[in-house]
DNA sequence: CTGGATCCCAAGGGATACTG
DNA sequence: CAGTATCCCTTGGGATCCAG
């Protein structure tokens, strides 16, 4: 459980943030929606996060029972992460986040071409 | 725009976190779903956050065009916050967060009564 | 009533190097 | 491959006081 939020006294949204309220948690969980992923895959899928942060966030998600970490006793090491049954209940929420993000990106791209001051930043 | 996430290079979920990725942002926005609220109301509705944090988060949401701050030139001061048209597109997502939080709270309460080690914490 | 200003500590989080 | 460990800077965020 994230120690930052109190699901007892807060509103329902705050309760959700107990679990989802980490820097990279929604992103990692989203990537796990389409099946188990290895550590390296998650790193490649989340290039803006450092390896260290990915590790830490995965640990917390595991503690909270949202994901399951499986170690295969092989050489070289093989570990994968998958959503627990509990974690899968987050799917509608995560898809909703993706959906809004899609629209948001379109909006931002639109704004960029409309506002010279912003698009000039790249030129 | 929150400087912590990069909506350009990140996945769609990460784009959403550009806007929603603040400590209290989802909670504040959720409370604004049922109409404009004054500063004091938001403070009372979000007792786990300090006045300072509420101010800061509201400022960022305003910068991002998600909410609109209206100052009524009265004495004593009267300010209210409401969702912009853009901000209202977050409604499904916020409702989804509330819904999941409800279930989560029920689950936690259930676990507490089932696991002596946890419920003993309050005794 | 609605904040702003300041102080200050804890936590977040990046870079890098190392390891079974 | 899948992490740990360490260093160190930045940000978050609480407490408190001040103000129009």
């Amino acid at each position: 459980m994230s120690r930052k939020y109190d699901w007892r006294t807060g509103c329902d949204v705050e309760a959700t943030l107990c679990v989802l309220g980490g820097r990279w948690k929604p992103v990692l969980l989203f990537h796990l929606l389409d099946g188990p992923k290895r550590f390296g895959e998650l790193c490649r899928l989340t290039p803006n996060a450092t390896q260290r942060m990915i590790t830490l966030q995965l640990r917390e998600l595991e503690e909270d029972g949202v994901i399951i970490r499986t170690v295969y006793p092989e050489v070289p090491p093989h570990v994968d992460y998958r959503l627990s049954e509990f974690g899968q209940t987050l799917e509608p929420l995560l898809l909703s986040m993706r959906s809004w993000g899609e629209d948001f990106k379109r909006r931002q791209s639109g704004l960029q071409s409309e506002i010279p001051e912003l698009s000039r930043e790249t030129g």
Side-chain angles (χ1 to χ4, degrees), chain A:
Chain A
M1 190 66 42
S2 180
R3 309 89 205 127
K4 302 200 316 174
Y5 295 89
D6 184 352
W7 63 269
R8 269 172 268 244
T9 65
C11 71
D12 295 338
V13 170
E14 194 170 335
T16 297
L17 294 173
C18 283
V19 175
L20 233 48
R23 178 79 174 75
W24 297 102
K25 288 179 185 177
V27 177
L28 291 171
L29 291 173
F30 171 70
H31 286 134
L32 291 177
L33 281 182
D34 57 310
K37 296 265 178 305
R38 301 182 58 162
F39 181 77
E41 294 182 89
L42 289 174
C43 285
R44 262 170 277 119
L45 290 167
T46 319
N48 291 333
T50 60
Q51 197 184 45
R52 172 189 135 94
M53 282 314 299
I54 292 175
T55 301
L56 291 176
Q57 299 274 288
L58 287 172
R59 288 289 172 279
E60 288 192 18
L61 289 170
E62 193 188 358
E63 278 179 42
D64 293 350
V66 182
I67 64 173
I68 296 173
R69 176 175 182 262
T70 309
V71 181
Y72 300 92
E74 304 174 359
V75 175
H78 181 154
V79 176
D80 71 25
Y81 297 88
R82 61 188 171 86
L83 293 176
S84 66
E85 218 170 301
F86 173 48
Q88 294 188 26
T89 64
L90 283 165
E91 177 162 7
L93 177 45
L94 293 168
L95 292 179
S96 189
M97 292 188 73
R98 178 190 59 178
S99 172
W100 194 87
E102 280 175 356
D103 294 346
F104 175 71
K105 280 172 128 169
R106 268 196 291 276
R107 180 192 143 101
Q108 292 300 311
S109 305
L111 286 181
Q112 268 212 329
S113 53
E114 284 165 23
I115 304 177
E117 287 74 21
L118 284 178
S119 52
R120 210 163 24 86
E121 185 184 315
T122 47

